[in-house]
Amino acid sequence: MFWDWNYVWEIMPSLLRASLVTIEATFLGFLLALVLGLVMAILRMSRSQWISVPTAGLVEFIRSTPVLIQIFFIFFVFPEFGIVLPAMTAGVIALGLHYGAYCSEVYRAGLENVPRGQWEASTALNLSPYITFRDIIIPQAIPPVVPALGNYLVALFKETPLLSAIAVLELMQTAKILGSENFRYVEPITLVGVFFLVMSLVAAALIRQVERTLNQSLRNPGGGQ
Amino acid sequence: MTTPMVKFDNVTKRYGSLTVLDSLNLEIAPNEKVAIIGPSGSGKTTVLRMLMTLERINDGVIYVDGEPLTHMERNGGLVPADERHLRRVRGNIGMVFQHFNLFPHMSALKNCMEAPIHVLGLPRREAEERAAELLDMVGLGDKKNHYPSQLSGGQQQRVAIARALAMRPKVMLFDEVTSALDPELVGEVLQVIRRLAKEHSLTMLMVTHQMGFAKEFADRVCFFHSGKIAEQGAPEAIFNNPQEERTRQFLSAVLEAG
């Protein structure tokens, strides 16, 4: 028989538990990516070349090397320098760093789109650089780029199976183990695929919803009227 | 003689090989209202932008209220100002822009509260009261919860004036503040500035194309031409009896245009 429903029900609990690990890795990784991306974008805009040029180099470097190599590097090479990380932590850091580099480019586009007059008004009002970023620039720079950031959330989610390479018990790794224990791969791998498909569709729908809400509030920040 | 409120001492500004302002010397007394006129490209807006520290100068020193703005004293000499010095002295100056530059994600009231809270350190309640008073003064007391996108150009510019005033500057800079407005909205903004000039002891510098307003509002008119003050004096003298050929040409061109 090609498809065994009994086997499906048998492995479902382990897969659901593993899917929580996948979701956890996705959210932690993306949270890190959002923070690191913003930091890298701001450093890259620095007036001092001693800061902006190395940051630009770092971003290029991270974007131009495969995330799998970065995962391996953090998990297997960092211990040589005395930094030993659990597999999950190493994986989340690698994903966060990699997607942070991509997010920084998105943030940069958003930051550069804020009209120069907003910076000048902030200077004329004597606002500190920190307050200028926090209250004036970032609130205007982020809403237009939320959809682009959302795309990276979905992309990062779909890359989490890479963590199976360092034995994080996420969905893919769990499916592989179940398959090799029972000599049946059709059901576990299919279920993993279906799970990713459903979650990606749900995420995409959520992002579209957020985008619509943002567009409305951008056109008419006050609401009503 | 009293200390000038603003003093340009041999100030030069270059963009690459183009000299926008050439060894400018200009003193403005406390409470004096100065109108700056001249053809485009004559450097008149640059004067305001340098004073607001939006542009760095290449040579010379700008003083505000007797204190160097672009430089600071160190070991008896002057060295270029650092960010901290700029932030301290710049607080004396407020600016209103041609394109308003209001913060679009904040209501009119919030626009006027942001800097008093974070720069002057006012408690929120007090900042809100003062912002509301200032919006009343510019005739927008009933629009304080509106966002910039819900206001007309003239109303936005009046919010921008209130926002600058909320920082209690000693010097106010107006950079072509009516140039981006529809003609029927110019009057309401000029009315606010007129009131301001009458009721507050503020030093004002205004770059303008409204010759009629410059004439009635200013104590002194400076005519700029290719990076220099070509002629200056009382409005009557400049407008009725210009001495320089360039001034005459400019005025007749402007008055002809309407």
Side-chain angles (χ1 to χ4, degrees):
Chain A
M1 188 174 150
F2 184 69
W3 182 265
D4 183 348
W5 281 105
N6 287 332
Y7 181 41
V8 168
W9 299 127
E10 189 186 316
I11 60 174
M12 196 56 105
S14 326
L15 286 178
L16 283 178
R17 240 174 295 140
S19 71
L20 291 181
V21 177
T22 291
I23 291 173
E24 190 189 346
T26 304
F27 277 107
L28 290 177
F30 193 60
L31 205 65
L32 191 63
L34 287 180
V35 174
L36 287 178
L38 187 58
V39 171
M40 287 191 267
I42 291 174
L43 289 180
R44 204 169 166 175
M45 289 174 71
S46 167
R47 248 176 286 162
S48 157
Q49 297 218 330
W50 294 104
I51 297 173
S52 63
V53 173
T55 310
L58 180 71
V59 169
E60 269 325 299
F61 174 75
I62 296 174
R63 292 201 317 155
S64 312
T65 46
V67 65
L68 185 59
I69 293 180
Q70 292 164 9
I71 292 172
F72 270 39
F73 205 85
I74 291 177
F75 188 60
F76 291 118
V77 181
F78 273 23
E80 305 279 333
F81 303 99
I83 305 172
V84 181
L85 296 169
M88 177 72 170
T89 313
V92 163
I93 290 175
L95 286 175
L97 202 60
H98 192 79
Y99 280 89
Y102 280 100
C103 289
S104 83
E105 291 293 288
V106 172
Y107 280 124
R108 201 158 67 102
L111 291 168
E112 281 172 0
N113 263 334
V114 176
R116 208 169 55 136
Q118 296 290 308
W119 292 93
E120 295 185 345
S122 304
T123 302
L125 289 169
N126 219 355
L127 296 174
S128 69
Y130 169 68
I131 296 289
T132 302
F133 265 109
R134 195 194 69 183
D135 288 4
I136 310 302
I137 304 302
I138 290 178
Q140 296 183 64
I142 305 265
V145 299
V146 164
L149 292 174
N151 289 338
Y152 282 124
L153 170 65
V154 175
L156 185 152
F157 171 63
K158 288 190 297 181
E159 296 266 45
T160 51
L162 288 174
L163 299 186
S164 64
I166 53 170
V168 174
L169 283 174
E170 46 69 66
L171 256 184
M172 194 63 205
Q173 178 71 358
T174 308
K176 265 188 340 200
I177 292 171
L178 289 170
S180 64
E181 277 172 357
N182 302 292
F183 307 108
R184 279 200 69 98
Y185 285 95
V186 179
E187 290 85 356
I189 302 296
T190 309
L191 287 174
V192 170
V194 169
F195 170 81
F196 273 100
L197 177 66
V198 170
M199 286 301 285
S200 295
L201 291 177
V202 169
L206 276 177
I207 292 163
R208 262 200 305 279
Q209 188 56 46
V210 171
E211 194 180 337
R212 244 199 307 277
T213 323
L214 278 171
N215 273 342
Q216 261 161 21
S217 67
L218 278 183
R219 263 199 299 279
N220 185 8
Q225 305 294 328
Chain B
M1 188 190 149
T2 54
T3 324
M5 180 56 78
V6 175
K7 180 177 167 188
F8 289 86
D9 186 5
N10 260 314
V11 173
T12 296
K13 172 71 190 174
R14 284 183 290 266
Y15 294 112
S17 61
L18 178 74
T19 302
V20 191
L21 281 170
D22 187 6
S23 314
L24 173 69
N25 285 295
L26 177 63
E27 289 189 9
I28 296 159
N31 213 3
E32 191 179 1
K33 322 289 181 220
V34 176
I36 297 174
I37 62 171
S40 64
S42 60
K44 53 194 194 310
T45 285
T46 308
V47 173
L48 300 193
R49 294 177 57 83
M50 291 188 314
L51 188 49
M52 193 66 257
T53 69
L54 298 175
E55 308 273 356
R56 279 169 194 277
I57 63 176
N58 297 100
D59 209 357
V61 185
I62 302 175
Y63 296 85
V64 173
D65 205 9
E67 199 174 1
L69 166 75
T70 50
H71 295 68
M72 52 191 186
E73 274 151 24
R74 181 158 299 164
N75 305 326
L78 288 177
V79 297
D82 60 15
E83 189 59 28
R84 235 175 79 205
H85 178 86
L86 282 180
R87 288 203 67 209
R88 196 170 56 77
V89 183
R90 167 161 77 202
N92 292 318
I93 307 166
M95 183 161 181
V96 183
F97 298 88
Q98 180 178 357
H99 296 288
F100 331 135
N101 297 352
L102 290 179
F103 304 133
H105 57 301
M106 295 182 184
S107 65
L109 193 69
K110 287 269 165 57
N111 261 282
C112 300
M113 289 166 61
E114 177 71 15
I117 289 174
H118 293 297
V119 181
L120 301 181
L122 291 191
R124 184 164 284 274
R125 276 260 314 277
E126 198 183 330
E128 185 171 342
E129 276 167 25
R130 280 167 38 85
E133 267 170 40
L134 285 165
L135 287 172
D136 263 336
M137 194 203 86
V138 299
L140 293 171
D142 55 335
K143 298 263 196 280
K144 62 186 182 201
N145 292 320
H146 284 50
Y147 284 78
S149 60
Q150 301 164 333
L151 299 171
S152 73
Q155 290 168 336
Q156 289 188 54
Q157 196 58 296
R158 286 187 279 153
V159 173
I161 293 173
R163 179 176 73 171
L165 284 175
M167 295 300 287
R168 302 182 191 157
K170 295 177 185 164
V171 184
M172 278 283 275
L173 312 178
F174 296 90
D175 184 13
E176 302 192 27
V177 291
T178 56
S179 298
L181 297 177
D182 291 336
E184 76 271 19
L185 302 177
V186 169
E188 61 188 69
V189 172
L190 293 183
Q191 190 56 41
V192 166
I193 298 174
R194 208 174 275 133
R195 239 187 99 185
L196 212 59
K198 228 173 273 160
E199 295 174 12
H200 294 252
S201 63
L202 273 169
T203 308
M204 294 184 172
L205 268 83
M206 174 182 255
V207 170
T208 184
H209 293 295
Q210 306 276 332
M211 295 305 147
F213 187 70
K215 197 168 177 176
E216 107 188 61
F217 154 91
D219 303 314
R220 174 160 47 132
V221 175
C222 296
F223 172 69
F224 273 72
H225 194 275
S226 16
K228 286 174 176 300
I229 299 180
E231 185 170 357
Q232 60 176 317
E236 302 77 38
I238 297 284
F239 289 114
N240 302 340
N241 189 20
Q243 300 300 305
E244 295 277 329
E245 180 56 32
R246 288 173 298 192
T247 320
R248 270 196 290 274
Q249 273 173 8
F250 172 74
L251 287 176
S252 69
V254 170
L255 295 177
E256 201 155 309

